[in-house]
Amino acid sequence: MPPEVPPAGGGPRRDRYVDWLRAFSLIVVVVWHWAFTILQWGPDGPSPTSPLGFTSGLWILTWLLQVLPLFFYVGGHVHLLSWNRACERGVGIGTFVWRRIRSLAIPALALAGTWIVFGALVAWAFGIEWMDRVVLLVISPLWFIGVYLVLIALLPISLWLHRHYDVLALIWLAGAALVVDVLRLRYGYEAAGWLNMIIVWGLAHQAGFFYDRVVELPRRFDVAILWTGLFALFGLVYSGIYPGSMVGVPGDKLSNMAPPTFVIVALLIFQIGLVEVLRPSMERLLERPRWQRVNETVNRFALPLFLFHTTGMAIWVALTWWLVGGGPGVGVRPDLFWWLERPLAVAGALVCTLPVIMLFGRKWTARRRR
């Protein structure tokens, strides 16, 4: 998403760390998909899996690499800042919300619609029965943009809760997420779990309203937040109720992400503490001219890279099949060679994604005037 904090000289000093966290969280998601997606083929076509299903203990890395809680947290902070500035300009909440929904929904819908039409044409022309699964795989990462759009639509309620109940709103949301898990896991109301798609991610977004207060806390509180989240993660995971992985693992009876469980609340607390502990070092780095240029470049490309990364990945997979053989019926189990070729998988997908960005994503990558 475009930077929304005003630059120095035109308002409050720009928080480069916010820009970094927001872009970094999207980049991590992209690299994870490129590096760790394994396609398995069955009678109905391709289905994704990951090395987490084959390598024991690797799930612990997801406590650092599952960064969607951090993304929603930073998003809440940015939306509060933007709304405060909109109020100063006399913009109403309806107009504010609609502009934000429109700016994100249009590219996401255009991408999904293009792939649906393309998939239908390919299936009709070549009789490929599993093309619908390919389209679903390519556009499936857009689910979180859908949730984000819902949270933007709910901004009037979120802002009202924040204004009238402050931190109590976070406690209510956390309690609601826990109640949903009880209904789902203790009493078998599986459908109730999907309420946490809004409750848990809404909690992360609402927590972003407290970003400035967290930043102002003494450093010992940052460490305390980190350890609170970490101990909560260990307690919940080793209770035997929740899986250890923060992403879905094929074969597991329960996923912490689909729909999210109360464990994601603990992960959010841990990640908030972690980024605050790292803040002094990262802020010093981001003051350096070279790191400023890196930060600006990453922010310019983060959103279009996320939107088009699965398109580039699909192109790379098709080129690989064409050049070296393979295709339907091929399943890959991660061995030593598979791990060694992960840099190539990332580089190949990146090379195939960049032309797509240049063709369709120039609106977001154009350098912004300061």
Side-chain angles (χ1 to χ4, degrees):
M1 274 148 282
E4 296 171 298
V5 185
R13 185 177 182 275
R14 188 185 194 90
D15 190 338
R16 295 191 179 96
Y17 195 39
V18 167
D19 288 346
W20 175 260
L21 290 174
R22 181 174 45 187
F24 173 77
S25 58
L26 286 177
I27 298 298
V28 168
V29 173
V30 168
V31 173
W32 177 277
H33 289 162
W34 283 348
F36 299 128
T37 298
I38 301 174
L39 289 179
Q40 294 183 330
W41 292 83
D44 297 328
S47 60
T49 185
S50 75
L52 297 175
F54 303 92
T55 309
S56 62
L58 195 62
W59 54 264
I60 193 67
L61 295 179
T62 65
W63 293 16
L64 296 174
L65 298 178
Q66 174 50 279
V67 288
L68 285 184
L70 184 62
F71 178 84
F72 284 105
Y73 169 69
V74 174
H77 167 64
V78 171
H79 281 137
L80 182 61
L81 285 179
S82 300
W83 167 240
N84 289 337
R85 291 201 308 275
C87 286
E88 294 174 358
R89 299 193 303 270
V91 177
I93 186 64
T95 301
F96 176 80
V97 168
W98 170 243
R99 287 175 179 173
R100 269 159 173 55
I101 289 177
R102 184 179 58 189
S103 65
L104 192 57
I106 290 176
L109 290 173
L111 176 63
T114 300
W115 264 103
I116 290 171
V117 172
F118 173 76
L121 290 175
V122 171
W124 172 76
F126 299 99
I128 302 177
E129 297 180 356
W130 40 260
M131 193 62 195
D132 58 332
R133 293 185 63 87
V134 173
V135 172
L136 182 60
L137 288 177
V138 173
I139 67 175
S140 60
L142 296 178
W143 71 264
F144 108 88
I145 290 184
V147 174
Y148 200 71
L149 289 171
V150 171
L151 295 180
I152 294 174
L154 292 175
L155 261 176
I157 298 175
S158 301
L159 292 168
W160 184 86
L161 287 172
H162 181 66
R163 186 167 57 252
H164 287 84
Y165 297 102
D166 201 64
V167 73
L168 189 57
L170 297 181
I171 296 173
W172 286 340
L173 288 169
L178 188 58
V179 168
V180 167
D181 275 7
V182 171
L183 291 174
R184 176 188 175 193
L185 304 177
R186 175 65 177 86
Y187 295 102
Y189 295 102
E190 190 65 28
W194 293 102
L195 292 172
N196 272 348
M197 289 292 286
I198 300 302
I199 295 173
V200 170
W201 299 128
L203 167 62
H205 188 264
Q206 192 89 15
F209 296 167
F210 297 85
Y211 175 90
D212 288 332
R213 285 192 239 175
V214 173
V215 172
E216 293 171 359
L217 290 174
R219 186 166 176 79
R220 64 180 181 274
F221 285 94
D222 300 337
V223 177
I225 293 171
L226 185 153
W227 281 105
T228 298
L230 188 60
F231 285 143
L233 279 172
F234 271 101
L236 291 168
V237 166
Y238 285 97
S239 69
I241 300 174
Y242 300 98
S245 174
M246 298 299 117
V247 300
V249 178
D252 281 359
K253 295 181 179 180
L254 179 67
S255 167
N256 282 319
M257 280 293 292
T261 66
F262 187 75
V263 173
I264 301 300
V265 177
L267 181 65
L268 170 67
I269 296 171
F270 167 66
Q271 290 183 347
I272 291 174
L274 181 61
V275 299
E276 291 306 316
V277 168
L278 294 176
R279 174 181 292 276
S281 299
M282 285 303 304
E283 286 185 334
R284 286 193 295 270
L285 281 177
L286 294 173
E287 287 295 327
R288 299 177 182 177
R290 181 176 298 178
W291 275 85
Q292 288 182 26
R293 290 193 294 271
V294 170
N295 195 17
E296 180 185 347
T297 301
V298 170
N299 269 276
R300 285 171 55 202
F301 283 90
L303 177 59
L305 185 65
F306 176 82
L307 286 173
F308 299 118
H309 78 281
T310 49
T311 299
M313 184 178 176
I315 296 171
W316 171 246
V317 170
L319 286 175
T320 303
W321 288 348
W322 180 59
L323 292 173
V324 301
V330 176
V332 178
R333 186 180 184 88
D335 52 15
L336 178 60
F337 177 76
W338 186 89
W339 284 104
L340 291 176
E341 70 173 4
R342 291 307 85 203
L344 178 61
V346 172
L350 176 61
V351 168
C352 292
T353 302
L354 290 178
V356 180
I357 292 176
M358 293 299 100
L359 285 173
F360 304 106
R362 290 187 180 182
K363 174 183 176 181
W364 300 284
T365 59
R367 187 179 296 274
R368 295 172 179 83
R369 296 179 181 178
R370 298 230 173 193

